[in-house]
Amino acid sequence: MTAVSVRGLRRQYGERVVIENLDLRIGKGEFVALLGESGCGKTTLLRALAGLDAIDGGHIDAPGKPAVVFQEHRLLPWAPLWQNVALGLETPEGRAAAIAALSEVGLAGREEDWPRNLSGGQAQRVALARALVREPKLLLLDEPFAALDALTRIKMHVLIRELVARHRPGVLLVTHDVDEAVAIADRILVMRAGRIAASYDTAGQTGLRDTLLKELGVETDTRAA
Amino acid sequence: MTIQLSDRTALAAAPRPRRKARLTSWQLNIISWLAPVGFLLIWEAAARAGMIAPQILPAPSAVAATGWKLIANGSLFQHLGASLARAAAGFVIGGSIGFGLGVLVGFSRLAEALLDRSIQMIRAIPFLAMLPLVIVWFGVDESGKIFMVSLAVMFPIYINTVLGIRQVDPKLLELARVTGLSWQATIRRIILPGAMPSVLTGVRYALAVAWLALVIAETIATTRGIGFLAMDAREFLQTNVIVLTILIYAAIGVGADSLARALERRLLRWHPNYAKEA
């Protein structure tokens, strides 16, 4: 089953072509990381998949509405946590689902709390719960852990792997952190100049980190390390 | 190194130093009353010593006695009720119009193009300058006074509502799109709560100018209200009553302000600036 299938995608701002003839397929339960230098079009691709930006050519086939977790948590400061998670589904069932989702991300019993009482990592977990409560077929993650400290980030990596294994959405993680991509993705795509330049399966790969860094124009000397 | 270590252990074992004594909020509350109470006492003493002529400024005790007399014969509450009713009616009418127009202009660039310039032009008129015209339009009965209050209240609420709506975080509006919120839900869940702090600032402002408008409106041809009480007392040089009415206006102003604060605490309890608990 396919979570999203993109064919010949084209996106341009005025004269400048940001994405050109891009193909992409993400399967159910597949965790794909998208690496690329700033300005290579990776966020543009994510926004197109999220339906936030119009596309100028090609097709995007995604069953159902994708869920998005942004770099900032984007919680409503005036709504208690359960309402944030259940945003748009404020029924008794929605509340129950939100409470369940909160406990899944390790925030059981905090449903009536306010966002201001959360740490950065906790707020991002609520944002994850808000995405997952919608049971999306496609989960889009736009550098969701970039603003977190190193330890919190590792905990989030474990959590997101668990959640994806359980709910099995297709995942596209946009990141510029090679180690993060290697740690959590099944497949890593490198984007360059609006196209997918390379694709690597992470399973059983050694030296992938260096290969990826080289793809991104970072030279590493493995003998010195 | 060893010395440092043992020092640290000793520190950890020792009872933690007491925090510097801080004044509790209750104590600070009492302190905040010292200046006004002291002022009253000095005023009273000066009046009793004959330093201030009672026609110029009567002693607080004399004003209190006058107040008590007016309460006893029931006329104070009758006048107060009339004033409060005018203020409330004007506030509700002006506030609703201001909020309604603010929402309209806040959401729609077309509405802004159609309405905002005219509203700003009317706003540029000092509302007190409208008084003679208001008397011509409405005569000297209630509607003119309510109109004055409405006019004064409308603008601060209008401006702050527009501002509040425009300042809602575009990232949250984007969130509304990716979560598939309907436009009604977007307004109810995101835009109005986001605009609320600004709207309430407008309400506080409006309460203050509502009073100002009322004081002015009530000084013209009235037979009821705190303003009438003051004008009537002026005719008969009853300084006691005049001072009393000034104090009543002040008290109502303070009351209105604490009402606005209570509203903020209630509606903005999510906001770190208004949150009571840590």
Side-chain angles (χ1 to χ4, degrees):
Chain A
M1 231 185 95
T2 313
V4 68
S5 153
V6 179
R7 271 167 295 123
L9 181 67
R10 181 186 166 80
R11 179 86 182 97
Q12 62 188 74
Y13 296 114
E15 291 290 288
R16 200 165 63 87
V17 177
V18 184
I19 296 177
E20 174 83 78
N21 197 22
L22 183 142
D23 296 327
L24 172 68
R25 190 190 159 279
I26 299 175
K28 181 177 185 262
E30 190 186 14
F31 203 127
V32 176
L34 182 64
L35 283 170
E37 291 175 72
S38 307
C40 71
K42 56 189 196 300
T43 294
T44 307
L45 173 60
L46 182 133
R47 291 180 61 86
L49 294 180
L52 283 170
D53 291 338
I55 58 174
D56 301 306
H59 294 278
I60 297 175
D61 290 320
K65 200 169 174 50
V68 188
V69 178
F70 299 95
Q71 183 172 351
E72 327 81 27
H73 54 71
R74 303 202 188 181
L75 299 182
L76 308 178
W78 46 82
L81 298 189
W82 80 264
Q83 284 183 11
N84 264 294
V85 173
L87 186 64
L89 326 156
E90 289 99 338
T91 55
E93 302 85 65
R95 186 186 149 92
I99 290 171
L102 278 169
S103 82
E104 239 190 310
V105 298
L107 290 166
R110 299 286 296 271
E111 60 268 13
E112 296 296 343
D113 208 345
W114 300 101
R116 72 178 133 86
N117 296 330
L118 300 179
S119 67
Q122 288 173 328
Q124 208 54 300
R125 281 192 265 158
V126 177
L128 265 178
R130 179 178 60 201
L132 287 171
V133 83
R134 284 146 229 281
E135 292 293 345
K137 298 277 191 300
L138 177 63
L139 177 61
L140 301 169
L141 306 173
D142 187 6
E143 303 191 33
F145 314 127
L148 303 178
D149 68 80
L151 289 177
T152 310
R153 201 179 312 151
I154 292 168
K155 285 184 202 159
M156 292 295 283
H157 292 164
V158 175
L159 177 68
I160 187 84
R161 289 272 348 165
E162 279 175 20
L163 291 172
V164 169
R166 198 172 315 142
H167 294 268
R168 302 200 40 79
V171 184
L172 182 71
L173 167 74
V174 165
T175 181
H176 49 231
D177 182 342
V178 171
D179 295 314
E180 179 169 281
V182 173
I184 56 178
D186 304 320
R187 185 151 62 98
I188 299 175
L189 306 175
V190 179
M191 199 169 168
R192 201 181 300 132
R195 294 162 185 272
I196 306 288
S199 170
Y200 300 92
D201 286 327
T202 52
Q205 284 268 7
T206 50
L208 184 55
R209 180 176 187 273
D210 292 317
T211 315
L212 287 167
L213 285 170
K214 197 170 270 174
E215 287 278 2
L216 296 166
V218 183
E219 288 298 330
T220 55
D221 188 357
T222 44
R223 280 163 305 175
Chain B
M1 192 63 191
T2 11
I3 296 169
Q4 268 183 347
L5 254 173
S6 62
D7 271 1
R8 206 173 288 166
T9 346
L11 243 171
R16 301 181 76 187
R18 280 169 61 89
R19 271 175 54 207
K20 208 174 156 193
R22 283 249 211 93
L23 293 168
T24 63
S25 64
W26 186 76
Q27 284 166 319
L28 287 170
N29 194 12
I30 290 189
I31 290 170
S32 73
W33 283 102
L34 285 180
V37 170
F39 174 74
L40 273 182
L41 289 175
I42 293 168
W43 175 7
E44 178 77 35
R48 289 202 180 189
M51 288 159 74
I52 312 171
Q55 301 92 309
I56 305 294
L57 195 59
S61 56
V63 175
T66 308
W68 178 245
K69 202 176 75 198
L70 290 176
I71 289 170
N73 71 20
S75 59
L76 185 67
F77 289 116
Q78 201 190 325
H79 292 301
L80 187 61
S83 290
L84 286 177
R86 280 172 197 144
F91 194 88
V92 168
I93 294 170
S96 310
I97 295 173
F99 183 72
L101 288 173
V103 169
L104 215 60
V105 170
F107 279 118
S108 154
R109 296 280 167 186
L110 178 66
E112 182 180 15
L114 281 171
L115 298 169
D116 189 61
R117 191 176 303 283
S118 318
I119 295 172
Q120 298 295 347
M121 283 162 105
I122 299 170
R123 189 173 81 95
I125 305 169
F127 67 87
L128 297 182
M130 296 281 284
L131 194 57
L133 194 59
V134 169
I135 294 171
V136 172
W137 285 351
F138 293 96
V140 291
D141 66 351
E142 286 303 282
S143 48
K145 295 172 183 61
I146 293 172
F147 178 84
M148 284 290 287
V149 175
S150 306
L151 195 66
V153 161
M154 198 180 111
F155 298 111
I157 293 192
Y158 166 78
I159 288 168
N160 285 286
T161 303
V162 175
L163 200 70
I165 290 174
R166 290 283 162 85
Q167 280 174 343
V168 170
D169 187 354
K171 289 187 167 172
L172 294 183
L173 297 178
E174 210 173 76
L175 173 76
R177 286 174 58 201
V178 298
T179 48
L181 284 194
S182 64
W183 65 267
Q184 298 98 322
T186 305
I187 291 173
R188 199 166 43 85
R189 308 279 332 182
I190 296 180
I191 296 174
L192 289 183
M196 196 49 78
S198 181
V199 173
L200 288 178
T201 304
V203 167
R204 266 179 92 167
Y205 230 77
L207 279 170
V209 287
W211 256 167
L212 192 63
L214 188 71
V215 172
I216 306 297
E218 283 195 335
T219 53
I220 44 158
T222 346
T223 53
R224 285 184 315 129
I226 300 295
F228 161 76
L229 214 55
M231 287 302 109
D232 194 47
R234 190 192 60 186
E235 295 290 315
F236 301 101
L237 286 176
Q238 294 169 309
T239 326
N240 286 356
V241 180
I242 295 174
V243 172
L244 179 70
T245 58
I246 292 171
L247 291 181
I248 290 172
Y249 276 132
I252 296 174
V254 170
D257 199 56
S258 48
L259 189 77
R261 278 167 197 265
L263 209 61
E264 282 178 346
R265 272 202 303 276
R266 174 86 188 80
L267 292 173
L268 303 182
R269 68 201 141 123
W270 53 268
H271 200 293
N273 291 359
Y274 301 94
K276 259 202 251 165
E277 77 275 333

